Amino acid sequence: MTVNPYKIAYQREKKARLEAEQLLEDKARSLYITNQELIDSNKELKKHQAIMLRNEKLATIGTLSAGIAHEINNPLAFISSNLEMLNTYWASCTDLFSELQRLIQSGAFSDDIILHLNTLIERYDMVFIHEDTPELLADTVDGLVRVKEIVQNLRSFARSQPTDYIEADINQGIQNTLKILNSQIIDARVSIRLDLQPISSVMCNSGEINQVLLSLIVNATQAMEESPTKKLTISSRGNAEQVEIILSDTGCGIPQDKIDDIFSPFFTTKDVDKGTGMGLSIAHSIIGGHGGEIDVTSKQGQGTTFTIKLPTMVNSQPREVKNT
Ligand SMILES: Nc1ncnc2c1ncn2[C@@H]1O[C@H](COP(=O)(O)OP(=O)(O)OP(=O)(O)O)[C@@H](O)[C@H]1O
Ligand SMILES: [Mg+2]
């Protein structure tokens, strides 16, 4: 039988073409996968870069805060003690004035003196001063208490307090914090869903971690004030090295152009009597001090999720900040 050389050549060419096509397809696929991996690592890189920038910015503000807190603390101390003295002086003045008024009314003085005293009382508006000063002093004390709170918050942000680490059960911390906030949560009609997995205990300052949880739960409750669905899901999970706590609310969400600001001290969208804007910056500082991370994702009008990652063992001691 004669072999058709054209057929052989055709089959050889077809086989080579199929192999080339297969090779091309394999290359294209591997190129696509590599490209996809590159896009993913680029995203990851950008995310870490943003976190690093934020951490750096907050560390700088932390140093600045410690300085400001220290500077304000000194005048605050003498304003406070002066105010206390003024209150005592005022109590003496007010006693004297009441006694003077009693004497005027008792007829102990001559008409001339009474007229003169009454003219002076009127000229210096003493009756009004007598009534108004206690209120002024009380308002000043309130203002001072508020300034002291702000300075205290600044100091916490700068983590100037020494921290005591113990082995703590974070799930228990979540339950305890919810107990503290129970009536607030009921009043706000927020339903809580807990999904707490068994997790390793964490070496931490449990008081500080509970403070972070409290801040986040209060924020979530406030964010859901106007929401038709008010649901806060708190989950925990982890392994031997790390514990993750996730708080997800159905609140108003955070606009994208504000999300980078929420960890900055004094950033707030709340009324003066509702927030100072220190909660999240202190939370960030506490978690950072424990060698952990706190991150946020949010969709405006849908809700916000905060994720805290904490190492179970202390591999990085809280960063040193000089005592103010
Ligand atoms: N769960 C949340 N949902 C929507 N917005 C939030 C949420 N948590 C925080 N925010 C936004 O971040 C801002 C800063 O929060 P942060 O806790 O630092 O301060 P604050 O709650 O305003 O005041 P403070 O905590 O000092 O009482 C809030 O004013 C709010 O705009
Ligand atoms: Mg807050």
Side-chain angles (χ1 to χ4, degrees), residues 215 218-219 222 270 278-280:
S215 272
V218 169
N219 278 349
Q222 291 174 336
K270 296 171 191 169
M278 286 302 288
L280 284 180

Side-chain angles (χ1 to χ4, degrees), residues 283-322:
H284 186 276
S285 167
I286 290 175
I287 299 299
H290 281 78
E293 283 173 19
I294 176 167
D295 213 349
V296 60
T297 54
S298 187
K299 272 216 170 110
Q300 222 180 335
Q302 288 186 26
T304 302
T305 299
F306 281 92
T307 306
I308 297 172
K309 290 181 188 162
L310 275 176
T312 52
M313 297 304 291
V314 194
N315 41 19
S316 59
Q317 282 293 325
R319 66 195 154 86
E320 283 279 317
V321 174
K322 273 180 248 119

Side-chain angles (χ1 to χ4, degrees), residues 219 223 249 253-254 262 267-270 274-280 304:
N219 278 349
D249 67 54
I254 305 165
I262 61 167
F267 174 82
T268 184
T269 52
K270 296 171 191 169
K274 273 206 165 167
T276 49
M278 286 302 288
L280 284 180
T304 302

Side-chain angles (χ1 to χ4, degrees), residues 119-136:
T119 313
L120 286 178
I121 288 171
E122 208 166 303
R123 184 185 306 154
Y124 295 113
D125 217 355
M126 285 310 291
V127 175
F128 176 75
I129 290 176
H130 183 65
E131 280 168 11
D132 199 38
T133 306
E135 208 175 307
L136 284 182

